[in-house]
Amino acid sequence: MKFTNVIGGFWQDRQSLNLNVSIPSIVKTFIETGRIRALSKELNENEKHHPFWESDLAKWLEGVLIHLQLKPDDELNQFAEKLIDKIIANQEEDGYLNSFFSLYEPENKFTNLKLRHELYCAGHLLEAALEHLKLNGTSRFLDAMERYMDHISDTFGIEPGKKRGYPGHQEIELALLKAYEQTGKAKFLNLADYFLSERGSQPHYYDEEERQRMSKEKIIDFSDFPSEIRDVVSSDMPDVEKRDYTYLQAHQLPVNQKTAVGHSVRALYMYTAMTDLARLKKDPKMLQTCISLWRNIVDRRMYVHGGVGSSHIGEQFTFDYDLPNDIAYAETCASIALMFFAERLSRIERNSEYADIIEKVLYNTVLASTSANGKGFFYDNYLECIPDFLTFQDRRHGIRDEYHTCSCCPPNVTRLIADLGRYIYSSCSEGINVHQYISSESSFKIDGDSVHLKQQSGFPWEGSSKLTLKKVSGKEFSIFIRIPEWESNLNVEVNGKIVSYQSENGYARIKKKWEEGDFVSLSFNFEPRLVRSNASVRYNIRRVCVFRGPLLYCLESIDNGPNLNQILITENQKIEVMTDDALTPGCITLSGNFKRIQSTTDNLYSTLKPELNDSKTKLIPYFLWANRGENEMLVWINEA
Amino acid sequence: MKFTNVIGGFWQDRQSLNLNVSIPSIVKTFIETGRIRALSKELNENEKHHPFWESDLAKWLEGVLIHLQLKPDDELNQFAEKLIDKIIANQEEDGYLNSFFSLYEPENKFTNLKLRHELYCAGHLLEAALEHLKLNGTSRFLDAMERYMDHISDTFGIEPGKKRGYPGHQEIELALLKAYEQTGKAKFLNLADYFLSERGSQPHYYDEEERQRMSKEKIIDFSDFPSEIRDVVSSDMPDVEKRDYTYLQAHQLPVNQKTAVGHSVRALYMYTAMTDLARLKKDPKMLQTCISLWRNIVDRRMYVHGGVGSSHIGEQFTFDYDLPNDIAYAETCASIALMFFAERLSRIERNSEYADIIEKVLYNTVLASTSANGKGFFYDNYLECIPDFLTFQDRRHGIRDEYHTCSCCPPNVTRLIADLGRYIYSSCSEGINVHQYISSESSFKIDGDSVHLKQQSGFPWEGSSKLTLKKVSGKEFSIFIRIPEWESNLNVEVNGKIVSYQSENGYARIKKKWEEGDFVSLSFNFEPRLVRSNASVRYNIRRVCVFRGPLLYCLESIDNGPNLNQILITENQKIEVMTDDALTPGCITLSGNFKRIQSTTDNLYSTLKPELNDSKTKLIPYFLWANRGENEMLVWINEA
């Protein structure tokens, strides 16, 4: 049984869709494309196993195993068990466990950590195995993964005779720290600590690894690759010393990295692990690094929908304030990883900013990433979509695909939605933290007693939430209620009476002797609000986006006609709130009499000024865009 | 002796720089990279001949041979003659003349017209040879090219036994029509006519060609190529029937093409030839097609600096009003080709729009393409430059390179600057057309008599020009003086007295009996003017750019600090005119007290409105940007 269950309302619908549609739909594509047959070397002649395929299965399994903890399902359980059997059947005598290398390239095991996702797969399998243990109490899957981790520990480390390697795609670090916390076994902590201490040190392991490969590997011509990739992958440069490993966050020791750079998912998985390490080892220097990285991201490198990693070239972070909308990358996985990072930081410090960002990501990029029917998934998360433009820029189109060749995002979403309960509350020495307004039930141990809390939330459509205490009798403790950054005057009532509160790091602290049936009613300001970018974001100057509560809104051409950039929000724009159940049940849309900038000539260029005409305009929640066919979409609207 | 000589002033300086710096600098890079040694198979082990290298040499030669017509130069002439010898030394018995195929891949001759630039090189060589004939009266170079054209005619055509092929990169068509006009030999016209009639017909030649290659060619995996390229080049699709040849303008018969699509240089070279063919064959349907294509380009697909072809993916035209600034492609060669197209249309109809566009291209993209020192060249012509952004988008940087691997643009610029005289005047049955305001001397035959015209122009710094008649006595004819589209009230004086005139298709017609020494003084409005885009161009909504006379202006961060998008032109903005000889002698810069939009918070997102502060702002001519190091640049400035 999970600590927190999502019960009823908006998010339970999403969890049901996740379990009943997304999870079967994804595994269907995995079966069809050979990801499961690859485990037993049953691929057809034209199919090719990929080094990252096992991670796709692992993430999918993890989501399933979490769902099974929430609600048993024999059929799904049996499927998962069989899949686990197939995976661990490939374990070798010495503990090595990777179907791609064991079955297809045994001679290349641990020869290219930099590029071939070997330890990345290990990390995802370990995470899935940890959920298997939670589900069952014992786990042959985790036993197998522990043997594999032991083998990895025997292979890599600073001790004489070991390779001083570390993953090219970080992930295993955070998995190891989860394993440590769940099992208490210090060896997991130590291996993660080693990876995060060794990374980026000189002489550089990847130079050494490449030198060893160069003698036996065929030279590939990478001259047509984008330069960032080329620097990392090309094996035809004789002077391997000059490589720049920024892309892999291996350009310097993690503890010395203060700016979010390189491949965004690699970066954020690593920052997540670094935060855990800082907490578990009580390392103030590492914590300071994590906070610097966090500030760099949320103050300068994050889209307003919670997307990060703005360049599709290398899927990477770029530079401060570089947040293009129509060529945004903002990979779904990167936003999920940002949630991980935020959640880990929130374990160290109660600060509403972390849950604010989690809310932003959850209600916007994460929700948007899945189609309303649960089957399609975004990889890139645009903030402006012009279908023809994407075609000519050779970018993914503005419609959710049911299958992606690189299929990291879909199962990352399903495991996140399954695990949503993790983000709603946390316990602390003084009582309970309420981070998210999601209908749910949860149990807490307070001074040894079990306290039960039920939340009924109107989010995201209504700005209200009610917390009801159960199984409690006269126990004094505090409930810390997050005041969202967009809420200037949160109304809190206890048992129907307004209470005043102190705000501590963005949380309203309500301290009292709580009795069975006590309830806290929260009223949030859900008036639509206009949000602006810092003027250093060149793309958004003189533009606003519209939020209502946690939800970002957008324009689609299906409602407003083409040329969405012609639409203008004017001073004191009146915005009406309406319901549109056709988009999704309960959906709130916004509308108003906006203006439209129109030319007074057909000429392409002229000295004439345009005119402003009235334009009845409708906005829909960003997360629902592209559910009525591919069409134009715009988040940042011109403001008079 | 050329028909028109550029004499004195701004453009003579450019021609001198072209001859004395650009031409030697380019050939130096050609020598160093092996383009000349390739002709005699003297490449080093690591060097590789490229199918398009011969075209680079041909364009360079063409520019040199035009310069030699303007002014003899023994040393340069000897160099050119030796190069011609090396080129024609590769001619085979049957007339075939292409060093790449003859020396390096003889088995692949005429097996891949679609992609391998074989007939493209032939066209450029023919153009160069025509200038050689003009220079010398006789030409072994043209003789060789004529034999090659005969061989091509023997190989391709609708007659039984011939291949029904045509070039994958159009160019030879316009060269053949030039050859026809210069020599009067109908075979050149007929071959061009065949290429332009056969193109895009079914069954499709490129399908057939591919089918024949597939049996013997090694299969290349093009799966990593952008989709447009992939569709055109991949040879691993069994169903070759389904190819889309839009990229090569071979998707339908040229006469049926009404929209500018595909690779922009291929397109415009073809439209140029189609216009010549329409004129020479008096084909109204083909002319109507050319006018449709012209309208589509200048009304919907042309940047304000005269650039065309907005996507770097495939260097191609995209869709109406898709003119991104910071990821613009706008290849230099495409703008030059647009000048060709305009000039050919102007031979059919006296309409100032053609010379207007030539002026726009000439003073902006073409001038900008060369660095102030004559050595560096732009390939892409951005309208906004953020250096770090280009790095992360894997685009060419905002600085002119002295060498480009694909070196089509630099010699295209040098041959154009050499040939500038072509664009200034034309003769007509009623007299003389004056198209461009460039200091020059020219001779015309009017009713059998030679009339000499001298122009002294202040362009582009001063809005005046003076035309003086020489060698004329009491002959009545008209001078048609172009009224630029940016000039609403051109002041024309004859012998110091204001004259009224009728405007005919944008030309002021001055008809009189002209006497020796008569002079026409023109005064243009050079007040800086704000130009706006059609509101269908989403990138430029609520933005203006600044022109003065023919020159587009821009902001650079070296003058204005970073974040140029924060700068705001306000209502009735006062703009002062200043001289800055440091940029280039006589250079006029603009400045004013603009505003700057600045955030009132450091937060990345907030509900706060920005504030407007004063900002002393300087604009420089667009063509001079990036001459003081790589820095931010902006053409389209926010307008209040």
Side-chain angles (χ1 to χ4, degrees), chain B residues 324-563:
Chain B
N325 297 307
D326 58 0
I327 55 170
Y329 199 66
E331 183 183 340
T332 302
C333 283
S335 280
I336 290 172
L338 179 62
M339 284 181 65
F340 297 163
F341 185 27
E343 195 268 336
R344 298 310 201 279
L345 283 164
S346 80
R347 295 190 203 177
I348 299 176
E349 179 198 21
R350 180 174 47 239
N351 183 324
S352 62
E353 192 182 39
Y354 305 127
D356 282 342
I357 299 295
I358 289 172
E359 179 186 79
K360 181 189 277 291
V361 171
L362 192 57
Y363 283 91
N364 300 297
T365 40
V366 168
L367 265 185
S369 73
T370 308
S371 62
N373 71 7
K375 292 183 177 176
F377 299 91
F378 275 139
Y379 196 114
D380 324 47
N381 290 283
Y382 301 112
L383 291 92
E384 176 172 8
C385 175
I386 310 285
D388 287 345
F389 175 76
L390 295 173
T391 300
F392 280 102
Q393 295 296 325
D394 203 33
R395 293 290 306 273
R396 289 192 189 85
H397 54 176
I399 204 81
R400 297 167 185 85
D401 285 327
E402 295 197 8
Y403 175 68
H404 296 270
T405 311
C406 177
S407 205
C408 50
C409 299
N412 220 351
V413 173
T414 54
R415 70 178 181 141
L416 181 99
I417 297 293
D419 202 25
L420 190 60
R422 169 193 301 277
Y423 299 91
I424 306 174
Y425 312 101
S426 63
S427 57
C428 59
S429 59
E430 299 148 296
I432 298 170
N433 300 313
V434 179
H435 301 301
Q436 299 298 334
Y437 301 104
I438 292 176
S439 296
S440 53
E441 287 185 328
S442 193
S443 294
F444 303 85
K445 283 276 181 219
I446 296 179
D447 294 338
D449 293 333
S450 189
V451 173
H452 198 76
L453 183 68
K454 180 173 182 177
Q455 180 176 188
Q456 294 156 287
S457 171
F459 274 40
W461 307 125
E462 288 170 28
S464 62
S465 200
K466 184 181 175 188
L467 304 163
T468 307
L469 276 292
K470 297 194 173 169
K471 291 194 192 165
V472 63
S473 174
K475 186 176 280 291
E476 187 180 74
F477 60 89
S478 294
I479 301 183
F480 293 87
I481 293 164
R482 179 175 61 97
I483 309 165
E485 53 84 20
W486 44 266
E487 170 60 67
S488 57
N489 190 26
L490 178 65
N491 188 74
V492 182
E493 297 178 8
V494 175
N495 298 332
K497 286 183 191 151
I498 292 179
V499 295
S500 64
Y501 54 83
Q502 288 205 319
S503 168
E504 296 182 13
N505 276 355
Y507 284 77
R509 178 179 193 151
I510 312 293
K511 183 175 184 178
K512 73 183 283 283
K513 280 191 180 163
W514 296 97
E515 303 288 348
E516 174 82 16
D518 277 353
F519 61 96
V520 182
S521 307
L522 307 171
S523 304
F524 300 85
N525 180 358
F526 263 38
E527 278 301 302
R529 63 187 189 280
L530 305 187
V531 171
R532 297 171 183 87
S533 278
N534 191 290
S536 298
V537 183
R538 64 189 173 102
Y539 309 97
N540 302 338
I541 285 178
R542 299 199 296 165
R543 291 176 183 261
V544 293
C545 60
V546 181
F547 273 86
R548 180 176 179 272
L551 288 183
L552 174 64
Y553 279 72
C554 70
L555 303 171
E556 277 198 304
S557 58
I558 198 169
D559 298 313
N560 300 293
N563 297 316

Side-chain angles (χ1 to χ4, degrees), chain A residues 591-620:
Chain A
S591 69
N593 292 312
F594 289 39
K595 295 288 181 186
R596 190 177 266 269
I597 301 165
Q598 288 177 305
S599 290
T600 53
T601 166
D602 286 339
N603 288 348
L604 185 50
Y605 303 108
S606 87
T607 55
L608 297 175
K609 289 191 176 185
E611 60 187 19
L612 288 186
N613 297 310
D614 291 336
S615 177
K616 182 82 185 160
T617 298
K618 178 180 179 180
L619 296 99
I620 67 161

